[in-house]
Amino acid sequence: MQRNWTSTVCHVATAALLLLAGPAWAANACPGPAIRVQSAAPGVWLIPGAPGDTTADNRGAISNLLAVREGRRLWLVGSGPSIAYARALNCQLQRISGRRVTDVIAPWPRPELVLGQAGLVGARRWAHEDVAGAMRERCPRCIERLRLRLGAAATDLADAKIALPDHRLQGERGTLGPLRWQRLQRSGDTSVTLWSLPRAHLRTAHGLLWADGAPDLRDADTDSLERAWQQLAADVTEDARWVPEQGPVLPAAAAAAHLRYLQALRSAIDDAQARGAPESDPAPALPGVSDVVNQSLRHQLNWQHVWREAEARWMAAPLTPAASSSQ
């Protein structure tokens, strides 16, 4: 009887203490938005982006991010689309890893990947000098572009400001903390940097690889992408895993698959133009390409993009002697 009475008193006292502590627990909660963080390896976390383009529902958080703890430092590749997002992520990473972000990297000048930097107060901001230069030139415009895409969620950008990288990298490749980096080109004036973590066999491929559908060819030139994918396919080891711009982690063969997609797309466009088909026709399903890619919206956009590239090459090609003499 005495034991039951004592147990009851203890339970009542514990409940009372939890009720009193409730406001304190709430005060310590991380700010929104809620962000999913996945363990990818010991001391390594993947923050998955939403599929597709920026909308009010996904609040621009469409790019994959990667966090790596090394000693007292926490490295973050990418920072998300807004100050609010970066602050929420920083809080969650501190709870999971025991560290706040000490170093943040801008892989390429995509607003959904770099505008969050301003919310990581005290973190060192890293980027290749080419990426930093593009951010300085484009970010004032990219904030407005992102605001339009966000629609009803544009309030996330109410305090938007540009935090340019304060540490610049030079050259083609190097090492930074636990990471190795490599510079490649997405177009003639857009550099991207890939970041690898040898201990986890992980490599990021922001701006180059996609797993939620066809690769995004907008604002790119396919000659540059082709060279980049060829280099990735040649350099990658069989045990490597790619963290793409969007979608789940990809196997080592992903770059070769992107190359096959581009080759099939160009071939289909050459055939369509030879038949005199209009550009406005729907993009066909390509042979040897997955349904996920063939059925994605980006495949339709890529059809138009590569069609216009083919037309531009045709218009710029010098006339052959036979063609010249016939005019």
Side-chain angles (χ1 to χ4, degrees):
M1 184 68 155
Q2 178 68 26
R3 184 178 301 168
N4 290 340
W5 181 85
T6 302
S7 176
T8 300
V9 170
C10 287
H11 284 307
V12 171
T14 300
L17 287 171
L18 288 174
L19 286 172
L20 290 172
W25 283 108
N28 291 329
C30 289
I35 300 172
R36 186 160 54 105
V37 179
Q38 299 176 343
S39 176
V44 184
W45 296 271
L46 176 66
I47 301 92
D53 284 342
T54 291
T55 65
D57 290 337
N58 62 39
R59 301 174 74 167
I62 61 174
S63 294
N64 292 326
L65 312 182
L66 187 69
V68 179
R69 185 180 62 205
E70 182 80 359
R72 296 186 174 184
R73 310 206 73 83
L74 182 64
W75 299 80
L76 181 62
V77 183
S79 57
S82 66
I83 291 174
Y85 179 92
R87 286 172 177 165
L89 177 59
N90 204 11
C91 178
Q92 292 192 39
L93 286 174
Q94 183 177 25
R95 291 191 167 194
I96 293 169
S97 71
R99 299 281 184 270
R100 294 183 72 81
V101 175
T102 60
D103 298 83
V104 59
I105 295 165
W108 70 297
R110 190 187 200 195
E112 289 88 348
L113 260 177
V114 302
L115 290 182
Q117 287 194 358
L120 300 172
V121 178
R124 296 186 297 183
R125 300 187 297 273
W126 298 87
H128 192 278
E129 60 180 357
D130 292 350
V131 174
M135 287 175 62
R136 183 188 304 107
E137 176 187 347
R138 302 176 192 176
C139 277
R141 300 192 305 273
C142 72
I143 288 178
E144 295 311 312
R145 288 174 62 188
L146 183 59
R147 196 185 303 277
L148 291 173
R149 293 173 186 169
L150 284 171
T155 51
D156 283 2
L157 298 178
D159 56 354
K161 55 185 176 182
I162 302 165
L164 293 174
D166 49 14
H167 292 72
R168 312 290 174 87
L169 305 169
Q170 297 179 335
E172 299 303 312
R173 60 182 68 231
T175 300
L176 181 63
L179 300 163
R180 297 176 184 171
W181 62 268
Q182 177 183 8
R183 183 182 75 93
L184 292 172
Q185 293 296 126
R186 178 172 162 81
S187 69
D189 60 358
T190 300
S191 295
V192 298
T193 49
L194 282 66
W195 297 82
S196 64
L197 182 65
R199 75 176 195 232
H201 306 288
L202 279 174
R203 302 179 72 179
T204 67
H206 290 104
L208 292 181
L209 299 182
W210 272 259
D212 65 333
D216 191 342
L217 306 185
R218 290 171 292 184
D219 302 320
D221 71 69
T222 58
D223 288 340
S224 293
L225 285 176
E226 183 177 35
R227 287 190 293 270
W229 291 334
Q230 287 170 342
Q231 189 163 348
L232 296 188
D235 291 348
V236 72
T237 57
E238 289 185 2
D239 59 353
R241 295 176 296 154
W242 293 107
V243 177
E245 179 74 40
Q246 293 176 266
V249 172
L250 289 167
H258 278 46
L259 269 175
R260 289 194 298 272
Y261 168 75
L262 178 60
Q263 291 161 358
L265 182 61
R266 284 174 169 168
S267 178
I269 286 171
D270 287 344
D271 289 345
Q273 291 181 341
R275 296 194 313 269
E279 177 191 346
S280 57
D281 280 358
L286 302 177
V289 172
S290 72
D291 290 342
V292 172
V293 171
N294 276 323
Q295 295 170 10
S296 65
L297 173 61
R298 284 198 297 265
H299 175 49
Q300 301 296 322
L301 298 174
N302 291 345
W303 177 264
Q304 298 168 14
H305 180 90
V306 177
W307 184 290
R308 290 165 190 166
E309 280 191 339
E311 283 185 335
R313 283 195 298 270
W314 178 77
M315 294 293 290
L319 291 174
T320 65
S324 300
S325 62
S326 65
Q327 294 184 12

PDB file of all heavy atoms in Angstrom, residues 188-206:
ATOM      1  N   GLY A 188      29.238  28.291 -70.798  1.00  0.00           N
ATOM      2  CA  GLY A 188      30.453  29.076 -70.946  1.00  0.00           C
ATOM      3  C   GLY A 188      30.680  30.068 -69.829  1.00  0.00           C
ATOM      4  O   GLY A 188      31.826  30.419 -69.524  1.00  0.00           O
ATOM      5  N   ASP A 189      29.601  30.550 -69.195  1.00  0.00           N
ATOM      6  CA  ASP A 189      29.755  31.547 -68.140  1.00  0.00           C
ATOM      7  C   ASP A 189      29.222  31.077 -66.783  1.00  0.00           C
ATOM      8  O   ASP A 189      29.023  31.892 -65.884  1.00  0.00           O
ATOM      9  CB  ASP A 189      29.068  32.861 -68.536  1.00  0.00           C
ATOM     10  CG  ASP A 189      27.575  32.690 -68.788  1.00  0.00           C
ATOM     11  OD1 ASP A 189      27.080  31.545 -68.698  1.00  0.00           O
ATOM     12  OD2 ASP A 189      26.903  33.701 -69.066  1.00  0.00           O
ATOM     13  N   THR A 190      28.996  29.781 -66.618  1.00  0.00           N
ATOM     14  CA  THR A 190      28.509  29.267 -65.333  1.00  0.00           C
ATOM     15  C   THR A 190      29.341  28.078 -64.902  1.00  0.00           C
ATOM     16  O   THR A 190      29.289  27.005 -65.513  1.00  0.00           O
ATOM     17  CB  THR A 190      27.032  28.846 -65.410  1.00  0.00           C
ATOM     18  OG1 THR A 190      26.236  29.978 -65.779  1.00  0.00           O
ATOM     19  CG2 THR A 190      26.552  28.328 -64.066  1.00  0.00           C
ATOM     20  N   SER A 191      30.131  28.294 -63.848  1.00  0.00           N
ATOM     21  CA  SER A 191      30.915  27.219 -63.260  1.00  0.00           C
ATOM     22  C   SER A 191      30.123  26.549 -62.145  1.00  0.00           C
ATOM     23  O   SER A 191      29.293  27.178 -61.489  1.00  0.00           O
ATOM     24  CB  SER A 191      32.225  27.774 -62.671  1.00  0.00           C
ATOM     25  OG  SER A 191      33.053  28.298 -63.680  1.00  0.00           O
ATOM     26  N   VAL A 192      30.379  25.280 -61.957  1.00  0.00           N
ATOM     27  CA  VAL A 192      29.830  24.536 -60.823  1.00  0.00           C
ATOM     28  C   VAL A 192      30.990  23.841 -60.129  1.00  0.00           C
ATOM     29  O   VAL A 192      32.014  23.546 -60.744  1.00  0.00           O
ATOM     30  CB  VAL A 192      28.779  23.501 -61.262  1.00  0.00           C
ATOM     31  CG1 VAL A 192      27.587  24.179 -61.914  1.00  0.00           C
ATOM     32  CG2 VAL A 192      29.373  22.481 -62.205  1.00  0.00           C
ATOM     33  N   THR A 193      30.830  23.596 -58.833  1.00  0.00           N
ATOM     34  CA  THR A 193      31.848  22.839 -58.111  1.00  0.00           C
ATOM     35  C   THR A 193      31.233  21.576 -57.537  1.00  0.00           C
ATOM     36  O   THR A 193      30.122  21.599 -57.002  1.00  0.00           O
ATOM     37  CB  THR A 193      32.482  23.670 -56.976  1.00  0.00           C
ATOM     38  OG1 THR A 193      31.471  24.283 -56.178  1.00  0.00           O
ATOM     39  CG2 THR A 193      33.400  24.734 -57.545  1.00  0.00           C
ATOM     40  N   LEU A 194      31.953  20.481 -57.699  1.00  0.00           N
ATOM     41  CA  LEU A 194      31.563  19.190 -57.143  1.00  0.00           C
ATOM     42  C   LEU A 194      32.391  18.949 -55.895  1.00  0.00           C
ATOM     43  O   LEU A 194      33.583  19.278 -55.855  1.00  0.00           O
ATOM     44  CB  LEU A 194      31.813  18.075 -58.156  1.00  0.00           C
ATOM     45  CG  LEU A 194      30.798  17.921 -59.285  1.00  0.00           C
ATOM     46  CD1 LEU A 194      30.798  19.117 -60.213  1.00  0.00           C
ATOM     47  CD2 LEU A 194      31.075  16.655 -60.067  1.00  0.00           C
ATOM     48  N   TRP A 195      31.747  18.367 -54.879  1.00  0.00           N
ATOM     49  CA  TRP A 195      32.405  18.162 -53.587  1.00  0.00           C
ATOM     50  C   TRP A 195      32.326  16.689 -53.224  1.00  0.00           C
ATOM     51  O   TRP A 195      31.249  16.098 -53.250  1.00  0.00           O
ATOM     52  CB  TRP A 195      31.746  19.030 -52.525  1.00  0.00           C
ATOM     53  CG  TRP A 195      31.909  20.485 -52.840  1.00  0.00           C
ATOM     54  CD1 TRP A 195      31.164  21.243 -53.697  1.00  0.00           C
ATOM     55  CD2 TRP A 195      32.949  21.340 -52.355  1.00  0.00           C
ATOM     56  NE1 TRP A 195      31.663  22.514 -53.774  1.00  0.00           N
ATOM     57  CE2 TRP A 195      32.767  22.608 -52.958  1.00  0.00           C
ATOM     58  CE3 TRP A 195      34.021  21.159 -51.471  1.00  0.00           C
ATOM     59  CZ2 TRP A 195      33.594  23.687 -52.693  1.00  0.00           C
ATOM     60  CZ3 TRP A 195      34.851  22.233 -51.205  1.00  0.00           C
ATOM     61  CH2 TRP A 195      34.635  23.483 -51.818  1.00  0.00           C
ATOM     62  N   SER A 196      33.459  16.101 -52.903  1.00  0.00           N
ATOM     63  CA  SER A 196      33.482  14.679 -52.572  1.00  0.00           C
ATOM     64  C   SER A 196      33.973  14.479 -51.139  1.00  0.00           C
ATOM     65  O   SER A 196      34.808  15.237 -50.631  1.00  0.00           O
ATOM     66  CB  SER A 196      34.383  13.905 -53.547  1.00  0.00           C
ATOM     67  OG  SER A 196      35.735  14.314 -53.436  1.00  0.00           O
ATOM     68  N   LEU A 197      33.426  13.443 -50.509  1.00  0.00           N
ATOM     69  CA  LEU A 197      33.816  13.057 -49.159  1.00  0.00           C
ATOM     70  C   LEU A 197      34.341  11.628 -49.250  1.00  0.00           C
ATOM     71  O   LEU A 197      33.566  10.672 -49.220  1.00  0.00           O
ATOM     72  CB  LEU A 197      32.613  13.151 -48.214  1.00  0.00           C
ATOM     73  CG  LEU A 197      32.894  12.829 -46.745  1.00  0.00           C
ATOM     74  CD1 LEU A 197      33.841  13.859 -46.136  1.00  0.00           C
ATOM     75  CD2 LEU A 197      31.588  12.769 -45.954  1.00  0.00           C
ATOM     76  N   PRO A 198      35.657  11.469 -49.403  1.00  0.00           N
ATOM     77  CA  PRO A 198      36.208  10.128 -49.660  1.00  0.00           C
ATOM     78  C   PRO A 198      35.823   9.098 -48.608  1.00  0.00           C
ATOM     79  O   PRO A 198      35.567   7.934 -48.949  1.00  0.00           O
ATOM     80  CB  PRO A 198      37.726  10.382 -49.674  1.00  0.00           C
ATOM     81  CG  PRO A 198      37.863  11.817 -50.099  1.00  0.00           C
ATOM     82  CD  PRO A 198      36.702  12.515 -49.463  1.00  0.00           C
ATOM     83  N   ARG A 199      35.753   9.481 -47.346  1.00  0.00           N
ATOM     84  CA  ARG A 199      35.508   8.481 -46.302  1.00  0.00           C
ATOM     85  C   ARG A 199      34.120   7.852 -46.423  1.00  0.00           C
ATOM     86  O   ARG A 199      33.894   6.748 -45.947  1.00  0.00           O
ATOM     87  CB  ARG A 199      35.671   9.116 -44.918  1.00  0.00           C
ATOM     88  CG  ARG A 199      34.541  10.015 -44.472  1.00  0.00           C
ATOM     89  CD  ARG A 199      34.766  10.494 -43.048  1.00  0.00           C
ATOM     90  NE  ARG A 199      33.570  11.068 -42.468  1.00  0.00           N
ATOM     91  CZ  ARG A 199      33.508  12.264 -41.901  1.00  0.00           C
ATOM     92  NH1 ARG A 199      34.584  13.041 -41.875  1.00  0.00           N
ATOM     93  NH2 ARG A 199      32.387  12.702 -41.372  1.00  0.00           N
ATOM     94  N   ALA A 200      33.173   8.557 -47.075  1.00  0.00           N
ATOM     95  CA  ALA A 200      31.813   8.031 -47.239  1.00  0.00           C
ATOM     96  C   ALA A 200      31.510   7.669 -48.683  1.00  0.00           C
ATOM     97  O   ALA A 200      30.386   7.248 -48.980  1.00  0.00           O
ATOM     98  CB  ALA A 200      30.798   9.057 -46.746  1.00  0.00           C
ATOM     99  N   HIS A 201      32.480   7.817 -49.581  1.00  0.00           N
ATOM    100  CA  HIS A 201      32.297   7.529 -51.011  1.00  0.00           C
ATOM    101  C   HIS A 201      31.123   8.339 -51.589  1.00  0.00           C
ATOM    102  O   HIS A 201      30.411   7.869 -52.464  1.00  0.00           O
ATOM    103  CB  HIS A 201      32.063   6.034 -51.247  1.00  0.00           C
ATOM    104  CG  HIS A 201      33.130   5.159 -50.663  1.00  0.00           C
ATOM    105  ND1 HIS A 201      34.396   5.082 -51.197  1.00  0.00           N
ATOM    106  CD2 HIS A 201      33.125   4.337 -49.584  1.00  0.00           C
ATOM    107  CE1 HIS A 201      35.133   4.252 -50.479  1.00  0.00           C
ATOM    108  NE2 HIS A 201      34.390   3.792 -49.495  1.00  0.00           N
ATOM    109  N   LEU A 202      30.963   9.557 -51.111  1.00  0.00           N
ATOM    110  CA  LEU A 202      29.888  10.434 -51.574  1.00  0.00           C
ATOM    111  C   LEU A 202      30.470  11.573 -52.387  1.00  0.00           C
ATOM    112  O   LEU A 202      31.522  12.133 -52.034  1.00  0.00           O
ATOM    113  CB  LEU A 202      29.111  11.017 -50.392  1.00  0.00           C
ATOM    114  CG  LEU A 202      28.044  10.153 -49.729  1.00  0.00           C
ATOM    115  CD1 LEU A 202      27.500  10.859 -48.490  1.00  0.00           C
ATOM    116  CD2 LEU A 202      26.912   9.831 -50.694  1.00  0.00           C
ATOM    117  N   ARG A 203      29.770  11.939 -53.469  1.00  0.00           N
ATOM    118  CA  ARG A 203      30.170  13.074 -54.290  1.00  0.00           C
ATOM    119  C   ARG A 203      28.926  13.874 -54.647  1.00  0.00           C
ATOM    120  O   ARG A 203      27.920  13.311 -55.077  1.00  0.00           O
ATOM    121  CB  ARG A 203      30.861  12.607 -55.577  1.00  0.00           C
ATOM    122  CG  ARG A 203      32.078  11.747 -55.352  1.00  0.00           C
ATOM    123  CD  ARG A 203      32.707  11.301 -56.655  1.00  0.00           C
ATOM    124  NE  ARG A 203      33.378  12.409 -57.335  1.00  0.00           N
ATOM    125  CZ  ARG A 203      34.033  12.277 -58.498  1.00  0.00           C
ATOM    126  NH1 ARG A 203      34.079  11.098 -59.102  1.00  0.00           N
ATOM    127  NH2 ARG A 203      34.611  13.315 -59.058  1.00  0.00           N
ATOM    128  N   THR A 204      28.974  15.180 -54.459  1.00  0.00           N
ATOM    129  CA  THR A 204      27.854  16.020 -54.871  1.00  0.00           C
ATOM    130  C   THR A 204      27.996  16.357 -56.347  1.00  0.00           C
ATOM    131  O   THR A 204      29.097  16.374 -56.897  1.00  0.00           O
ATOM    132  CB  THR A 204      27.794  17.321 -54.060  1.00  0.00           C
ATOM    133  OG1 THR A 204      28.939  18.141 -54.385  1.00  0.00           O
ATOM    134  CG2 THR A 204      27.773  17.038 -52.555  1.00  0.00           C
ATOM    135  N   ALA A 205      26.863  16.626 -56.972  1.00  0.00           N
ATOM    136  CA  ALA A 205      26.880  17.004 -58.399  1.00  0.00           C
ATOM    137  C   ALA A 205      25.813  18.059 -58.642  1.00  0.00           C
ATOM    138  O   ALA A 205      24.969  17.909 -59.524  1.00  0.00           O
ATOM    139  CB  ALA A 205      26.678  15.783 -59.276  1.00  0.00           C
ATOM    140  N   HIS A 206      25.847  19.127 -57.860  1.00  0.00           N
ATOM    141  CA  HIS A 206      24.881  20.206 -58.046  1.00  0.00           C
ATOM    142  C   HIS A 206      25.055  20.836 -59.427  1.00  0.00           C
ATOM    143  O   HIS A 206      26.166  21.078 -59.883  1.00  0.00           O
ATOM    144  CB  HIS A 206      25.070  21.279 -56.972  1.00  0.00           C
ATOM    145  CG  HIS A 206      24.664  20.826 -55.608  1.00  0.00           C
ATOM    146  ND1 HIS A 206      25.576  20.483 -54.635  1.00  0.00           N
ATOM    147  CD2 HIS A 206      23.437  20.656 -55.060  1.00  0.00           C
ATOM    148  CE1 HIS A 206      24.929  20.128 -53.541  1.00  0.00           C
ATOM    149  NE2 HIS A 206      23.632  20.222 -53.768  1.00  0.00           N
TER     150      HIS A 206
END
